[in-house]
């Protein structure tokens, strides 16, 4: 079973980065942690860790600033959504063609 939520300290250790970097990403609304009702600790979901991984790579290896990171991540999410829509359209089209072929036999 994979873990669903990580604490800030776990994320810092996992990605080997400074807490200030996470705070900057939160301030720019690139990362959006959830809060635990029990401890009021900020927790990060898998989707947020993926954004953090991308942000870290863009900043450290490609020297992209945080506004650029936000734009790139948003565009990536839009592309993923469009790809999912396209896949759904192709699946519907494939089913329609298969049904048409069955009726012609």
């Amino acid at each position: 079973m994979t873990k669903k939520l990580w604490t800030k300290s776990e994320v810092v250790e996992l990605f080997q980065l400074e807490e200030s970097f996470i705070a900057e990403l939160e301030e720019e609304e690139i990362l959006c942690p959830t809060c635990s009702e029990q401890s009021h600790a900020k927790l990060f979901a898998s989707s947020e860790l993926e954004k953090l991984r991308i942000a870290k790579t863009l900043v450290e290896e490609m020297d992209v600033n945080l506004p650029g990171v936000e734009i790139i991540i948003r565009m990536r999410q839009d592309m993923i959504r469009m790809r999912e829509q396209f896949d759904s359209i192709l699946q519907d089209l494939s089913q329609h063609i298969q049904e048409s072929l069955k009726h012609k036999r």
Side-chain angles (χ1 to χ4, degrees):
M1 180 166 123
T2 60
K3 191 169 183 173
K4 293 186 181 197
L5 296 171
W6 287 264
T7 64
K8 186 180 269 190
S9 59
E10 290 172 324
V11 171
V12 166
E13 185 177 325
L14 180 67
F15 286 92
Q16 298 179 356
L17 45 79
E18 299 292 325
E19 278 192 41
S20 60
F21 182 65
I22 293 175
E24 289 173 9
L25 294 174
E26 288 179 68
E27 191 173 297
E28 291 289 325
E29 297 181 358
I30 295 169
L31 288 182
C32 299
T34 59
C35 290
S36 168
E37 291 179 14
Q38 297 146 348
S39 68
H40 300 290
K42 292 181 180 180
L43 301 174
F44 295 87
S46 298
S47 59
E48 296 305 303
L49 295 185
E50 178 62 13
K51 288 193 277 187
L52 177 58
R53 183 190 64 77
I54 293 167
K56 182 180 184 214
T57 300
L58 290 170
V59 169
E60 291 180 356
E61 296 178 18
M62 299 177 183
D63 204 28
V64 176
N65 62 17
L66 291 184
V69 168
E70 192 271 329
I71 290 168
I72 291 168
I73 288 176
R74 188 171 3 101
M75 289 175 63
R76 181 179 181 274
Q77 291 170 328
D78 290 345
M79 288 172 48
I80 289 169
R81 266 193 303 279
M82 285 188 292
R83 176 60 193 240
E84 289 169 351
Q85 290 172 346
F86 184 70
D87 288 347
S88 176
I89 290 168
L90 286 178
Q91 186 176 15
D92 291 345
L93 181 60
S94 173
Q95 288 175 349
H96 179 72
I97 290 171
Q98 288 175 0
E99 290 174 12
S100 294
L101 290 174
K102 285 179 185 177
H103 293 298
K104 289 185 179 184
R105 289 184 186 170

